[in-house]
Amino acid sequence: MINVGIAGALPAINRHTYMLNRIHDVRIIGRWITGDHGDAAFNMESEITCSDPGTIIGRAEVMIITDKSSLSSRLATYALKKAKHVLVYPPAISSVNEVNALIKLAREANVILKCGRTGSSGYSGLVKAISDKGPVNLIDFHHSIMLLQEERQNLLFNQLLADIEIMNSLIRARNTSIRVKGHSLLSSRPEVINARLEFDNGCAVNYYCNLLALQSDHHITIVLKDCLLKYDFNAYELSRWYLKPAFNQNENPIFIEKIQVEQGDNLYDDLMTFFNLIRSGPAFLSIYDNGFEPLVMTDRIHERVLKTLVQFA
C-alpha cells in the first residue's frame, strides 16, 4: 500500500481524492488545505493547522502538491530531501530555476518527480482520437478569448501553458526553435501573441492567442501524412479530411467526416502513469518524461514575448 499526502486548494484535493480512491493500492493519509491559512496548512481530518513540512508530510511516501502557496516550495523541497516521490503542479512552482533545483534533488534521492498537467478540458479525447494516425507534420493552433480587462492579468501565461500541454501531447519530440512576437493594445501586458515553434522531428507549430477577441474561438488544425484534422475545443467536434481514390472526373477525391469526441477527465490516467513509475522502481526521468517540458517551454516563450512586446496603448 502506497501512503499519499495531498496539499493544495480544496477543489483540487477533492478531485484527486476521488481519482485516488479508484486506485487499489493507494491510501490517502493526509489532506492539507493551503493558501487560506497564511504560512500554514489546514488538515481536513484532524482540523489542525500546521506550518511544519515534516509534520504535514508525516508518513506519506508520495506527496501531491497542487496549488501555489507559501508552503509549496518548502513542501516539495523537504519531501524530495526525505526521499519521497513528488507529483507537483505548475501553479505550485515559482520559476524554472526551482524546476531545475527540484530535478536535482530528485536525482540525488533516486525518487520519482513528475509535473502534473493543468487538466485543460477538451484535449484528452482528441489525443485518443488521433493516437494511431502517425506522426504530426504541422499544427496550426488558434485561441481567441473574450475577457474583461481585470481577467487578463495573469491569464496569458496560464492559457499558453494549457495550449503547450496539448501540443506536447500530440508531438513526441523536442523543441529546437522558438520565434515569437507579442502585442499590447490596451495595457502594458501582452494581449496578442504569434509564435512559430519547430521540433527535432520536423514538425512545426503556428500558434496564435488573442485575449481581446469579440468572440471565443479555440481550434487546432493538424496535418498528418495522409489526412488533415480540425478540432473545435468548444464544440468537441473533430473533422477529418481524407484523400480517396477517384474513379472518374466527377467524383470528389476528398472524403470528409465529422465526429463528436467523447470527453473525460485525464487525471486518472495521469495518476496511474505516475504510480506505475513508482511501482516499477525509481529511475531518473528526462525533462520530457517528467512532464516539466511544457512549463519550461511556456516560460521561454513568455520571456521572449515580453522582450519583443510591441505596445500601442
Side-chain angles (χ1 to χ4, degrees):
M1 189 67 70
I2 303 174
N3 293 327
V4 178
I6 313 173
L10 183 58
I13 290 176
N14 288 337
R15 180 168 171 248
H16 281 76
T17 297
Y18 175 75
M19 294 299 179
L20 288 169
N21 285 336
R22 296 171 56 188
I23 304 175
H24 72 279
D25 61 345
V26 168
R27 176 174 56 200
I28 301 171
I29 64 169
R31 299 186 297 168
W32 296 83
I33 301 174
T34 61
D36 298 328
H37 304 276
D39 292 334
F42 176 78
N43 186 279
M44 294 177 61
E45 281 70 41
S46 65
E47 299 186 349
I48 66 168
T49 301
C50 179
S51 60
D52 175 50
T55 303
I56 293 171
I57 295 170
R59 296 181 295 106
E61 302 160 75
V62 174
M63 199 67 203
I64 298 176
I65 306 167
T66 65
D67 294 278
K68 181 179 180 180
S69 74
S70 57
L71 270 173
S72 302
S73 295
R74 288 196 291 138
L75 275 175
T77 300
Y78 186 92
L80 292 171
K81 286 182 176 180
K82 293 298 181 180
K84 312 290 186 181
H85 305 289
V86 173
L87 176 63
V88 62
Y89 285 81
I93 300 170
S94 59
S95 67
V96 171
N97 287 336
E98 184 180 355
V99 169
N100 295 329
L102 294 177
I103 290 174
K104 183 175 183 290
L105 288 173
R107 188 168 198 169
E108 291 171 350
N110 196 30
V111 294
I112 299 296
L113 167 67
K114 207 164 191 327
C115 182
R117 293 189 282 189
T118 58
S120 171
S121 62
Y123 75 89
S124 59
L126 168 65
V127 173
K128 292 177 181 177
I130 70 168
S131 60
D132 60 344
K133 303 302 179 184
V136 176
N137 295 321
L138 178 68
I139 288 178
D140 189 70
F141 206 128
H142 186 105
H143 200 165
S144 298
I145 312 166
M146 293 177 61
L147 293 173
L148 299 174
Q149 185 168 354
E150 58 269 19
E151 295 177 316
R152 300 182 201 130
Q153 299 302 312
N154 299 310
L155 185 77
L156 181 63
F157 185 92
N158 297 333
Q159 193 54 66
L160 179 59
L161 173 59
D163 289 340
I164 292 295
E165 285 179 345
I166 296 171
M167 296 178 205
N168 195 63
S169 298
L170 297 170
I171 307 169
R172 304 280 307 180
R174 189 170 299 279
N175 175 252
T176 56
S177 172
I178 295 174
R179 285 176 287 172
V180 63
K181 193 76 172 180
H183 302 270
S184 173
L185 302 177
L186 301 180
S187 70
S188 60
R189 295 173 178 268
E191 294 153 336
V192 179
I193 67 171
N194 284 280
R196 169 81 173 187
L197 312 176
E198 296 179 351
F199 297 82
D200 62 6
N201 66 346
C203 181
V205 176
N206 298 313
Y207 179 75
Y208 172 79
C209 183
N210 178 12
L211 303 184
L212 302 175
L214 297 178
Q215 64 181 34
S216 295
D217 180 22
H218 192 193
H219 70 263
I220 185 171
T221 302
I222 304 165
V223 180
L224 302 175
K225 181 179 179 181
D226 58 353
C227 70
L228 185 146
L229 309 175
K230 182 176 180 180
Y231 184 67
D232 186 328
F233 290 93
N234 295 328
Y236 304 132
E237 184 180 78
L238 178 67
S239 302
R240 291 190 178 117
W241 285 262
Y242 289 98
L243 284 176
K244 63 178 182 178
F247 298 100
N248 57 68
Q249 292 182 344
N250 297 324
E251 188 175 357
N252 189 348
I254 300 176
F255 174 74
I256 302 174
E257 66 172 346
K258 293 185 177 182
I259 61 171
Q260 205 70 23
V261 175
E262 182 179 351
Q263 296 307 303
D265 194 334
N266 62 299
L267 179 59
Y268 177 79
D269 292 337
D270 290 348
L271 289 173
M272 284 298 296
T273 299
F274 176 62
F275 284 104
N276 284 337
L277 288 171
I278 294 173
R279 295 185 193 102
S280 63
F284 179 72
L285 302 178
S286 68
I287 188 70
Y288 184 87
D289 293 324
N290 64 22
F292 284 103
E293 186 166 358
L295 179 59
V296 173
M297 192 187 305
T298 300
D299 183 80
R300 193 179 304 137
I301 294 171
H302 192 257
E303 182 180 355
R304 296 187 185 185
V305 165
L306 296 179
K307 288 181 178 179
T308 62
L309 187 63
V310 178
Q311 296 189 17
F312 296 97

